[in-house]
Amino acid sequence: MKLLRQFIDTIVWGTLIVVFSLLPERRDREPKVQRKWRQRFIGAALLIAAAGVTGVLLVLLGLIPVKASSEHLPPVRWFFQFSKIRGFSTQSLGVEAPPDLNRSANVLKGAGQYETTCRPCHGSPELHHPRVAAAMTPHPPYLPEAISKYSKEELFSIIKHGIKFTGMPAWPAKNRDDEVWAMVAFLLAMPELDAAEYHQLAFGPSPPSAAAAPIEDLTGPENLPRVVRERCARCHGADGRGRGSGAFPKLAGQHAAYLVNSLKAYERGDRHSGLMEPVAAGLSDEEMNEMAEYYSSLEPAVGTHGADLALPDEGSSPGYEIAHRGVPAQKVPACADCHGPTHPHPKREYPMLAGQYAEYIVLQLELFEKGHRGGTHYAHLMQEVAPRLTKEQMQAVAAYYESLSGAGEDARTPSTQGVEQHQAPTVDHQH
């Protein structure tokens, strides 16, 4: 209220000063042309002052239309729309899309997030115009029909930064441009999808029809926890195999302590992901433990070759050398000291990497290298190691771990099956 009174006082005194400046004796002394322009200036100033006073009065009287049930006036609607288009056109200058933007892993990753956070307002091929969003002002556009109006660079800027006065939020993790580009990749693909194709991307294979399927096929495994079915399986699969793509990590057989600690890091915002932070924030401690225990109890994930593979012969690949001996010249320690494959596994709070998707491991190393990943209390260890690896070395060691079965020498001991109670910090690489 103090600022408001000061604003009103300024307008009142400014108006008085302008009025007193119109005194005849001063005006008579001025040349005719000078008086003419002075009058025009004073008239404009009075008009602006009157508009300001009117605006303040409208606010004080509660007459500004802020109800979502009332439409914007056409000039206001045009102004907001024009400002939005011009703003993102300018702000997208210098944005460069990745060359592999449209690869399937990006589209798959974006589909799951769109279903969770965007569909309720913007619709989908399964639900064209959500009823609740239709009562918002301004109305969220039905995106399959609106995507073509924007370039991929403009879409990136809109998704990353959000839009004021519309309810469109910014991306939760400001430094995860890879996730934002995944959403862009999905949006570019969505206009060509029908309802069945959309459902396949967002949820995975459809269940059998109710007329022919036994009850267990419709409800899933008997021991499938509700939190896994409703929050986790869409991306990581009920089998913990990550839906067969590097878009999502394999969780099957992973240490429960590591999974719980990772979820808590997401919940605190210490590990950065616009996909996982909202999910983890909505889970209770009991649900985190239940999810972790379930995935920990599954058979460890196999490599993408579909069969258990023996460890490669010693020194048979650059990835083997990095994993088991490190790169002493670059002060890179052996990965196996923390992440296997060894027996027994060094720490239950560290992730097992055997059988994990190479694409996912490389992404985590790149995020560590840039300082964009975050993690639990010991994540700083990987932030020291990752920048010392070359791109080729990251790819080599990731390919080596993907080729392992995750079941042989890296098998878990029975004591690691349950959720660990102590909260030791972790060096983590996956969800």
Side-chain angles (χ1 to χ4, degrees):
M1 291 300 296
K2 182 178 179 181
L3 291 175
L4 180 60
R5 289 197 300 270
Q6 291 175 344
F7 177 70
I8 296 175
D9 288 343
T10 300
I11 293 177
V12 171
W13 283 106
T15 303
L16 290 175
I17 292 172
V18 170
V19 171
F20 279 114
S21 69
L22 299 177
L23 291 174
E25 57 270 25
R26 292 192 60 187
R27 189 172 62 242
D28 292 342
R29 297 192 194 121
E30 295 173 344
K32 184 175 181 181
V33 174
Q34 186 175 352
R35 287 201 308 271
K36 179 179 179 182
W37 283 103
R38 182 180 180 84
Q39 290 172 353
R40 290 179 179 178
F41 174 79
I42 292 173
L46 288 173
L47 182 62
I48 293 174
V53 172
T54 302
V56 171
L57 290 176
L58 289 175
V59 172
L60 291 177
L61 295 174
L63 299 179
I64 297 296
V66 296
K67 299 180 295 183
S69 59
S70 62
E71 290 283 351
H72 285 309
L73 295 174
V76 175
R77 185 167 59 249
W78 174 88
F79 175 78
F80 279 134
Q81 183 67 14
F82 181 78
S83 299
K84 179 181 70 174
I85 293 174
R86 295 305 311 147
F88 282 111
S89 176
T90 299
Q91 293 163 28
S92 63
L93 295 175
V95 174
E96 186 174 351
D100 58 347
L101 174 63
N102 296 325
R103 60 195 177 90
S104 59
N106 272 343
V107 176
L108 184 64
K109 187 186 296 185
Q113 184 68 3
Y114 182 90
E115 171 63 25
T116 301
T117 60
C118 308
R119 183 202 56 79
C121 288
H122 293 289
S124 70
E126 292 183 315
L127 179 63
H128 285 199
H129 299 285
R131 293 298 302 162
V132 172
M136 296 174 64
T137 300
H139 302 311
Y142 176 54
L143 287 185
E145 296 175 351
I147 293 300
S148 60
K149 299 178 182 178
Y150 304 94
S151 69
K152 55 182 177 291
E153 292 80 11
E154 290 171 336
L155 290 173
F156 173 86
S157 296
I158 292 172
I159 295 168
K160 181 173 182 177
H161 301 292
I163 307 176
K164 291 181 178 179
F165 311 120
T166 67
M168 170 72 182
W171 195 255
K174 299 185 185 305
N175 54 7
R176 289 299 303 272
D177 287 359
D178 60 296
E179 294 180 337
V180 178
W181 281 119
M183 180 64 75
V184 173
F186 171 73
L187 292 180
L188 294 175
M190 186 166 60
E192 304 300 324
L193 301 177
D194 58 27
E197 292 168 335
Y198 173 85
H199 191 280
Q200 171 77 14
L201 282 173
F203 294 96
S206 300
S209 65
I215 189 65
E216 58 268 20
D217 288 339
L218 296 175
T219 60
E222 182 179 354
N223 65 335
L224 184 66
R226 178 179 178 180
V227 64
V228 173
R229 182 173 63 252
E230 295 181 354
R231 309 300 295 275
C232 310
R234 181 187 304 172
C235 296
H236 300 287
D239 59 0
R241 303 301 170 89
R243 293 185 60 182
S245 167
F248 310 110
K250 299 176 182 179
L251 301 184
Q254 191 58 259
H255 291 309
Y258 166 73
L259 294 175
V260 170
N261 287 346
S262 295
L263 286 171
K264 289 186 177 297
Y266 282 126
E267 180 186 29
R268 296 189 302 266
D270 292 341
R271 182 170 174 180
H272 314 304
S273 171
L275 280 64
M276 282 301 301
E277 286 180 34
V279 172
L283 298 177
S284 65
D285 289 347
E286 180 181 357
E287 289 173 323
M288 290 183 184
N289 290 333
E290 188 177 23
M291 181 280 291
E293 186 172 0
Y294 170 78
Y295 278 119
S296 177
S297 69
L298 300 179
E299 286 296 321
V302 299
T304 56
H305 298 288
D308 290 351
L309 301 177
L311 289 176
D313 294 335
E314 181 175 343
S316 62
S317 70
Y320 179 97
E321 292 293 325
I322 297 171
H324 291 274
R325 296 189 177 90
V327 189
Q330 299 169 216
K331 297 184 179 181
V332 174
C335 308
D337 291 345
C338 294
H339 303 291
T342 57
H343 183 78
H345 196 272
K347 272 188 176 291
R348 292 185 291 269
E349 293 78 24
Y350 294 166
M352 297 182 295
L353 299 186
Q356 189 57 266
Y357 295 113
E359 179 180 344
Y360 188 80
I361 296 175
V362 170
L363 173 61
Q364 304 312 300
L365 290 172
E366 291 175 342
L367 292 173
F368 273 125
E369 178 187 21
K370 298 173 183 176
H372 291 173
R373 183 184 182 279
T376 57
H377 300 299
Y378 280 2
H380 65 279
L381 296 176
M382 284 305 301
Q383 291 170 1
E384 293 291 330
V385 172
R388 300 171 186 168
L389 292 169
T390 66
K391 175 73 71 175
E392 292 74 18
Q393 290 170 330
M394 291 180 184
Q395 294 171 343
V397 73
Y400 165 74
Y401 273 112
E402 183 182 55
S403 71
L404 303 179
S405 68
E409 293 188 29
D410 199 29
R412 298 167 301 116
T413 60
S415 64
T416 67
Q417 297 285 338
V419 178
E420 304 300 324
Q421 298 302 316
H422 58 283
Q423 296 296 320
T426 75
V427 179
D428 45 358
H429 289 284
Q430 63 185 31
H431 291 304

